[in-house]
Amino acid sequence: MGDFLTDSEKRAIVHVDMDAFYASVECLDDRSLTGQPVVVGGLGSRGVVATASYAARKFGVHSAMPMGRARRLCPSAHYIKPRMQRYREKSAEVFTIFRDFTPLVEGLSLDEAFLDVSASLKLFGSPENIGREIKQRIRQDTGLTASVGLAHNKFLAKLASDIRKPDGLVLVDPEQVHAFLDPMPISRLWGIGKRTAPKLKALGILTIGQLRRTDLSVLRPVLGNRSGHYQRLANGIDDREVEPVRPDKSISHEVTFDTDLAERPELLAELQRQAESVSRRLRAQRLMASTVVVKIRDPGFHTVTRSRSLRAGSNSTQTLYRMARALFEKWHESHKTTAIRLLGMGVTGLEDAGSGDHDTGDRLDSNSDQQIDRVFDSINQRYGDAKIVHGQTLRRKKP
Ligand code: DCP
Ligand code: MG
């Protein structure tokens, strides 16, 4: 083998996905939970399951299920509210391990990433060896288990990591791609969901193999101009690169005042305006921030920053403002007479806000805060930037 492989078939892509991530972290922190049914999610009346340990999955409990249903299926499980800060810590540990293997790490969520290890192959011998090493390092350094898929592209690697969970290691041989893909249901193709699957089913197409063998002209009425794309996937062809995202992304806003400012109300109004701007940019990019930073410079050019993590990721104006204000007030207490030359606030620890279509109970922001943000965003979008801002901002005197 080898000679007839194209360049893209010579890549080595690893997909790592942690097993029952939130639940496993809970078991790690409370050893009495090990092996027990554990359900993590919103505990309120409208709560949803974020994840369940494998022992709980035996009772039929799974992610995105209403919590009430989970409780009926498995009354004896331990029900735990998400501790996002802790999961983020463990996630950072896992990602540090990834970066020991390659700089080409593309995080998809806290517990999942693609690694392009093509260049590290020589060092580790074989893809399978890299996979084993990654799993072992994760277990050793974090106490958690992961499932790993290895293939020559992202699509196959991701499918591979999923089929022998938990603690799996699956390698897709480039010559066995059809044998691997053909029996799988079409729902495994990214983008084929509840709406498209029944239409394909009506054509007698249930498996990836059937889709692979169906003529494009038959697929077009259902899949439109994506038909070729899906057929390439069904053939195991996927040329997308692993795209590393910069881990240190941040969004901030700061101003240098024309004349140094010492009045607390005016400083707070400025901070509120900055929180509006920063959170609006977060929401526009569907991001959540985990840490708020405030920056203060005095007339002598002495600059301090103060930062604190939120209990859970947020992109709500009020949540970010409250934290920024708390940081500012703490500094202000001991610097009541200090005039300020520059004031800024920003956020770091950015991550995908997700689809937002379920409540996993890990959000700090009240529903009404979120609603207000949405109304403000849509009005600002329609009428241009900053036409409408929260009350306190309006009170600020125009310079
Ligand atoms: N998650 C969530 N809501 C969902 C799905 C997931 O809050 N609807 C959270 C909890 C999970 C984490 O994201 O622990 C990772 O998601 P996965 O889909 O990878 O699920 P798990 O890691 O929990 O389990 P698996 O072993 O199937 O990967
Ligand atoms: Mg997982």
Side-chain angles (χ1 to χ4, degrees), residues 271-291:
L271 216 47
Q272 164 104 40
R273 204 165 62 87
Q274 295 180 355
E276 310 261 2
S277 145
V278 166
S279 62
R280 192 169 343 124
R281 277 184 281 161
L282 279 173
R283 294 191 295 271
Q285 296 176 60
R286 302 265 178 278
L287 291 170
M288 298 273 216
S290 63
T291 303

Side-chain angles (χ1 to χ4, degrees), residues 212-384:
R212 175 168 73 82
R213 288 190 217 95
T214 304
D215 207 82
L216 274 181
S217 60
V218 178
L219 295 178
R220 272 209 190 90
V222 176
L223 298 174
N225 56 13
R226 305 275 288 162
S227 305
H229 162 78
Y230 284 118
Q231 202 155 57
R232 275 193 299 282
L233 286 183
N235 274 290
I237 299 167
D238 174 20
D239 291 328
R240 286 165 313 152
E241 307 277 335
V242 170
E243 289 171 16
V245 272
R246 293 177 61 80
D248 55 358
K249 247 171 62 174
S250 66
I251 294 178
S252 64
H253 191 121
E254 59 182 48
V255 292
T256 300
F257 300 116
D258 293 342
T259 51
D260 300 338
L261 203 62
E263 291 81 14
R264 186 173 156 280
E266 289 202 31
L267 289 165
L268 288 181
E270 175 57 35
L271 216 47
Q272 164 104 40
R273 204 165 62 87
Q274 295 180 355
E276 310 261 2
S277 145
V278 166
S279 62
R280 192 169 343 124
R281 277 184 281 161
L282 279 173
R283 294 191 295 271
Q285 296 176 60
R286 302 265 178 278
L287 291 170
M288 298 273 216
S290 63
T291 303
V292 176
V293 187
V294 166
K295 180 171 165 186
I296 302 162
R297 179 173 294 155
D298 71 15
F301 265 88
H302 179 236
T303 308
V304 296
T305 57
R306 293 282 182 269
S307 69
R308 236 187 112 178
S309 289
L310 296 159
R311 260 191 299 132
S314 172
N315 56 22
S316 139
T317 300
Q318 276 316 308
T319 303
L320 299 185
Y321 171 62
R322 274 194 289 265
M323 180 58 88
R325 187 180 63 189
L327 288 166
F328 171 81
E329 300 273 32
K330 192 136 189 280
W331 176 89
H332 188 70
E333 259 172 36
S334 48
H335 298 83
K336 286 216 166 69
T337 54
T338 311
I340 292 178
R341 176 184 169 83
L342 174 151
L343 180 66
M345 73 91 59
V347 290
T348 61
L350 307 189
E351 64 176 65
D352 257 350
S355 55
D357 58 2
H358 64 270
D359 169 22
T360 56
D362 57 334
R363 297 196 50 147
L364 275 180
D365 318 323
S366 71
N367 279 332
S368 66
D369 278 355
Q370 288 177 44
Q371 268 159 19
I372 291 168
D373 285 339
R374 266 198 293 274
V375 171
F376 280 28
D377 286 346
S378 72
I379 293 172
N380 280 323
Q381 222 161 35
R382 242 179 302 157
Y383 300 106

Side-chain angles (χ1 to χ4, degrees), residues 16-22 51 54 57 109 111-112 165:
V16 187
D17 190 306
M18 305 299 294
D19 301 320
F21 185 52
Y22 296 1
T51 194
Y54 279 81
R57 290 183 201 192
S109 69
D111 92 320
E112 190 187 349
K165 263 185 166 297

